[in-house]
Amino acid sequence: MLISTKGDYGVRALIDLAKHEGEGPVQRADIARRRQVPESYLDHLLAQLRRDGFIRSTRGPGGGHELARSPADVRLLDVLESLEGSLAPIGCVADVTDSGQESLCGQRWVWQGIYENMRERLSGVTLAELVEHERDHERDAAVNYSI
Amino acid sequence: MLISTKGDYGVRALIDLAKHEGEGPVQRADIARRRQVPESYLDHLLAQLRRDGFIRSTRGPGGGHELARSPADVRLLDVLESLEGSLAPIGCVADVTDSGQESLCGQRWVWQGIYENMRERLSGVTLAELVEHERDHERDAAVNYSI
DNA sequence: TGTATTCCCGACTAAATCACTCGACATTGT
DNA sequence: ACAATGTCGAGTGATTTAGTCGGGAATACA
Ligand code: FES
Ligand code: FES
């Protein structure tokens, strides 16, 4: 499994923040409830996202978390690499994007290609798009229900 | 990490068998030495590959392992799914390829796409191609060395 | 000043998975 | 018979996953 709950939950949290942008800080407890993430676990993920500059947090009553940048400027790739570390599908293609030594193992080129394609796709998706997608889906569900 | 040593070593072993096709059974010890895999570990991987019909094994002196099918008919995807189980990059897209319930999590569609692309690529690569690639690389190395 | 609210941080843990090893056993060629 | 080979399952130490817990720090407000 390339993506664990760290990455999944973390992205869920950012989607939640993006959805409530401009409404002031959003509290951990609200994110946890809406996105079905254990609150005390979410805590660690928010800490990581703060360390890497994705969110700003304020304490005290009325405090909470907000995006540090516009949702359109936050790439899914960067979020996931912050939370999960390298997204390499196999150890040997981790960082070394240079094709210096094809080396020993005859299947490495296949994974290089897959990795690059994956990173490209993840680069092309922003928080803004994820939120839009979600809204579209909600609207569809509402229509289906009303019928 | 999507692919562990199981998948990597297992494919290495099959590449070795493909390279020595038609020369009679290849022994575990030879594969292990040539491909840098612990012999007693390789044992388990060969067992799995046998269960799923990729290789045939014979005991006794002069025994060993051979491919059960032509290298051109063995897709990398099938080998890896035999050794690793599902190659889904995230749990929720494991088997359910049907897009029945987009459900809760707003990033699932991204991973669906990545998963499908990955499976397509892995479907398009056969053992025969891996061997050819390896031979090409060996030839290049020889040329470079001779200069 | 006191108190409630919220985030911050590190320690701890149970369960699962990984990457193997080891030993007993089965089969086969000479 | 015996040596060479594969077959099988149990066991193991290290690492990762998916959390929990508790104490502390900052802030708003009365
Ligand atoms: S060692 Fe990287 S693909 Fe085999
Ligand atoms: S639950 Fe599958 S992508 Fe979030």
Side-chain angles (χ1 to χ4, degrees):
Chain A
M1 218 60 55
L2 195 52
I3 301 298
S4 67
T5 56
K6 279 199 199 81
D8 189 26
Y9 291 173
V11 171
R12 291 195 205 180
L14 286 189
I15 290 177
D16 202 73
L17 293 188
K19 213 166 184 177
H20 295 82
E21 237 214 334
E23 306 173 15
V26 178
Q27 277 114 35
R28 213 175 43 177
D30 293 333
I31 305 174
R33 183 174 24 77
R34 282 195 294 257
R35 303 292 163 164
Q36 317 236 64
V37 179
E39 196 180 334
S40 50
Y41 190 36
L42 180 56
D43 197 356
H44 295 311
L45 310 176
L46 292 172
Q48 179 62 39
L49 292 171
R50 187 165 356 92
R51 268 192 293 278
D52 282 356
F54 293 104
I55 63 176
R56 263 178 289 107
S57 311
T58 49
R59 309 189 202 199
H65 310 271
E66 332 172 57
L67 289 180
R69 295 181 260 155
S70 159
D73 291 341
V74 181
R75 299 187 304 169
L76 187 50
L77 176 68
D78 299 323
V79 174
L80 286 170
E81 290 194 333
S82 163
L83 292 160
E84 298 275 5
S86 168
L87 261 40
I90 190 169
C92 59
V93 298
D95 302 295
V96 205
T97 318
D98 77 304
S99 57
Q101 37 149 1
E102 252 293 306
S103 75
L104 347 82
C105 190
Q107 68 190 295
R108 194 172 154 186
W109 61 277
V110 180
W111 290 109
Q112 285 278 0
I114 288 174
Y115 187 34
E116 276 158 34
N117 173 274
M118 192 183 77
R119 284 176 55 92
E120 246 169 73
R121 279 169 175 260
L122 291 173
S123 294
V125 179
T126 67
L127 269 192
E129 288 172 77
L130 288 173
V131 170
E132 197 184 346
H133 230 270
E134 195 171 287
R135 284 203 223 274
D136 284 0
H137 196 270
E138 276 166 16
R139 193 166 36 70
D140 285 2
V143 168
N144 286 343
Y145 185 73
S146 73
I147 292 173
Chain B
M1 218 59 56
L2 194 52
I3 300 299
S4 66
T5 55
K6 279 198 200 79
D8 190 26
Y9 291 174
V11 172
R12 290 194 206 180
L14 286 189
I15 291 177
D16 202 72
L17 293 188
K19 214 166 183 177
H20 294 83
E21 238 213 333
E23 307 174 13
V26 178
Q27 278 114 35
R28 214 174 43 176
D30 292 334
I31 305 174
R33 184 173 24 78
R34 280 196 293 258
R35 302 292 161 164
Q36 317 236 61
V37 178
E39 196 180 334
S40 50
Y41 190 37
L42 180 57
D43 197 356
H44 295 308
L45 310 177
L46 291 172
Q48 180 61 38
L49 292 172
R50 186 164 357 93
R51 270 193 291 278
D52 282 355
F54 292 104
I55 62 176
R56 266 179 287 107
S57 310
T58 50
R59 309 190 202 198
H65 311 271
E66 333 172 56
L67 289 181
R69 295 181 260 155
S70 159
D73 291 342
V74 181
R75 299 187 305 169
L76 187 51
L77 177 68
D78 300 323
V79 175
L80 286 170
E81 290 193 332
S82 163
L83 292 160
E84 298 275 5
S86 167
L87 260 38
I90 190 169
C92 60
V93 298
D95 300 296
V96 206
T97 318
D98 77 305
S99 58
Q101 38 150 2
E102 251 295 306
S103 76
L104 346 83
C105 190
Q107 68 190 297
R108 195 174 152 183
W109 60 277
V110 181
W111 289 110
Q112 285 277 2
I114 288 174
Y115 188 33
E116 276 157 35
N117 172 275
M118 194 183 75
R119 285 175 54 91
E120 246 169 73
R121 279 167 175 261
L122 291 173
S123 295
V125 179
T126 67
L127 270 192
E129 288 173 77
L130 289 173
V131 170
E132 196 184 347
H133 229 270
E134 195 170 288
R135 283 203 222 276
D136 284 0
H137 197 270
E138 275 167 15
R139 194 165 37 69
D140 284 4
V143 168
N144 286 343
Y145 184 72
S146 73
I147 293 173

